[in-house]
Amino acid sequence: MLTRGHSAPLNQANLNICRDTCHPLDCSDVFAQGLNSDGVYLIYPGDVNSSPVPVYCDMSSDGGPWTVFQKRFDGGVDFYRGWEDYKFGFGRASGEYWLGLQNIFLLTQKKKYRLRIDMEDFENNTRHVTYDSFSLSPLAVNPDEDGYKLDIDGFKEGDPEKRAGNSLPNHNQMNFSTYDRDRDIYAAGSCAVMYHGAFWYHKCHGANLNGKYQQGVTSEYATGVVWATWKGAYYSLKSSEMKIAPVKSEEQ
């Protein structure tokens, strides 16, 4: 489970006031309350009677505020985990973490979202890409049975001068897979086991952002934190963040 009870980057009194008087669905709702600093806040992906979930809010990057659902930067959290951890979340929102497929699904049932992925290599080069639409199993009655299927569209380079390429087209419409729940379409084995990760694998991947944390160039093929169209299969990234923001009314 995602560890609960982290304080946000504001004093506890203000946090309690917000918790008592508002139930933000995501970081855009937090921002609307006048809380505009990057950091950890509480959101309510379920209904207002559900327990709040701590999440990192990127309030400053273009196109936001962004609700971060995956954050990696130092290898301090093991991302080679089973289905239950990926379904409900793990780590700490103040550090490395995964928000949980069920929480992400609940968010995307309530609003239309865009996806942004920020990446950095060990030479301090940065890239980011965006997708105009993002959701998980949008038509499913039971998202778990449906595999929290990835639904994305509208790829854009974050900076035309610093291209990262699109490593996700073959992942679109794929089920999420973990080492203990193989839902990829690779007949010869489990992509999660072969590439030491958990993701929306096909046969097998162009991106492995939940892969093994390594130190840049590696002799292992595609097991690291990989974005193949930027650094290739033998390079593991230093950091990655996957984050969503509501589609603005003029974009719908």
Side-chain angles (χ1 to χ4, degrees), residues 94-120:
S94 57
E96 295 192 326
Y97 77 103
W98 174 264
L99 182 61
L101 292 164
Q102 182 65 16
N103 287 325
I104 302 166
F105 167 77
L106 290 172
L107 288 171
T108 62
Q109 288 291 294
K110 296 179 175 71
K111 293 182 181 180
K112 294 181 179 180
Y113 283 96
R114 297 169 288 124
L115 172 68
R116 173 174 171 140
I117 302 175
D118 284 277
M119 298 167 281
E120 183 179 5

Side-chain angles (χ1 to χ4, degrees), residues 186 191-197 201-208 211-212 214 216-226 228 231-236:
Y186 184 54
C191 294
V193 172
M194 291 174 62
Y195 296 106
H196 201 85
Y201 294 117
H202 52 106
K203 14 175 224 191
C204 276
H205 75 76
N208 195 36
K212 185 189 301 186
Q214 298 166 310
V217 176
T218 173
S219 61
E220 295 184 15
Y221 176 74
T223 61
V225 184
V226 169
K231 302 293 292 189
Y234 290 98
Y235 193 99
S236 184

